[in-house]
Amino acid sequence: MKALFLNCSLKTSETASNTDALYKEAEAIFQQEGIESENIRLADYKIAYGVSDDEGHGDEWPAIFEKVKAADILIVGTPLWLGEKSSIATLAIERLYGGSSLTNEKGQSLYYNKVGGVVITGNEDGAKHAAASILYGFSHIGITVPPNVDAYWVGEAGPGDSYIEANGQKNDFSTGHAKTMAYNLIHFARNFNENPIPAKGNTME
C-alpha cells in the first residue's frame, strides 16, 4: 500500500518545511506499518492553473497525478497564511478536482477507495477552517475522509516561532493527532483494499 504526501508549502525543498516536519510524525507510523510513503514538495514543480488532469504547455502535474492514482492514502499539507490554506494547496485541490470525471474499472470516480487527511502548520489561527476546506474537497471528489484526520500545529496566537523553532514535536496535541490520523488512514485504506466500495448506485455512467 502507498501513501502520498503533497506538501503545499510556498517554499521549495531547498528550505526546511514546518508542515513537512509535522507530517514526519505520521510518516514514521506508515513506515512501521509497512506503508510505502512518498513526499512531494509541489513548489518544486511547474504546475499550471486549471481544472483538468493535463493543461499542456510544460505542465508537470500529470506526473504527480500518476502518483495520486497509485496511492491508497493521500495527505495534503499546507501552511497557514492569513487564516487560509496556501495558494498552492488551492491549486492542488483544483487540479485534483480536474481528474474527478475519470473513472476506475467499475465506472466509479477513480478516487473511490482512497482515503485522505490533512497536515497544517502555522503561527496564526485558521487550522480548522483550512482543514474543513481541504477535507470537503476530498469528500466531494470521492476520497473517503475517516474520523480525526486533521493534524495541525499553530502555536501561540500572533507572530512567533513556527513548528520547528518552537519544538512542536514536543506538543502532545499535535503529535497525538498525527498519530491518530496515520492509524485511522491505514485502517480505512486496508479495509477498502480488501472490501472496495460496491459499484451499485454510485457509478458515473
Side-chain angles (χ1 to χ4, degrees):
M1 296 183 67
K2 297 181 179 180
L4 179 65
F5 179 60
L6 300 180
N7 186 342
C8 299
S9 169
L10 300 184
K11 300 175 289 191
T12 66
S13 56
E14 297 175 351
T15 305
S17 162
N18 292 286
T19 307
D20 182 60
L22 178 54
Y23 168 69
K24 290 188 181 302
E25 299 289 334
E27 183 180 42
I29 294 171
F30 290 147
Q31 292 175 347
Q32 292 169 15
E33 294 294 320
I35 307 295
E36 180 183 338
S37 181
E38 184 173 2
N39 186 331
I40 297 178
R41 187 82 69 94
L42 295 186
D44 291 338
Y45 297 84
K46 180 183 177 183
I47 301 174
Y49 297 104
V51 286
S52 72
D53 57 319
D54 187 349
E55 290 290 332
H57 306 290
D59 180 20
E60 294 184 306
W61 175 257
I64 298 170
F65 189 52
E66 289 302 313
K67 296 178 184 293
V68 170
K69 289 191 284 187
D72 303 285
I73 297 169
L74 179 64
I75 300 174
V76 166
T78 181
L80 290 170
W81 294 107
L82 298 174
E84 301 280 354
K85 64 184 182 294
S86 74
S87 56
I88 294 179
T90 297
L91 176 61
I93 295 298
E94 289 170 346
R95 296 307 303 272
L96 288 169
Y97 179 72
S100 62
S101 62
L102 302 176
T103 59
N104 62 21
E105 66 280 358
K106 296 180 180 179
Q108 302 164 312
S109 166
L110 62 81
Y111 296 119
Y112 266 44
N113 304 307
K114 299 182 187 298
V115 297
V118 61
V119 172
I120 299 169
T121 60
N123 53 14
E124 57 187 81
D125 295 337
K128 291 183 178 180
H129 170 71
S133 173
I134 292 169
L135 295 177
Y136 171 77
F138 279 173
S139 178
H140 185 71
I141 63 177
I143 297 173
T144 296
V145 179
N148 302 121
V149 289
D150 54 329
Y152 64 90
W153 187 93
V154 292
E156 296 182 0
D161 290 337
S162 295
Y163 181 81
I164 296 173
E165 293 81 6
N167 291 316
Q169 71 274 12
K170 296 181 180 180
N171 183 288
D172 291 339
F173 178 87
S174 294
T175 57
H177 268 250
K179 178 179 179 180
T180 299
M181 177 188 71
Y183 279 114
N184 284 357
L185 287 170
I186 291 169
H187 173 74
F188 276 76
R190 284 175 173 165
N191 279 350
F192 283 142
N193 194 39
E194 297 174 2
N195 298 289
I197 299 171
K200 185 177 181 180
N202 59 38
T203 63
M204 299 181 67
E205 297 175 351

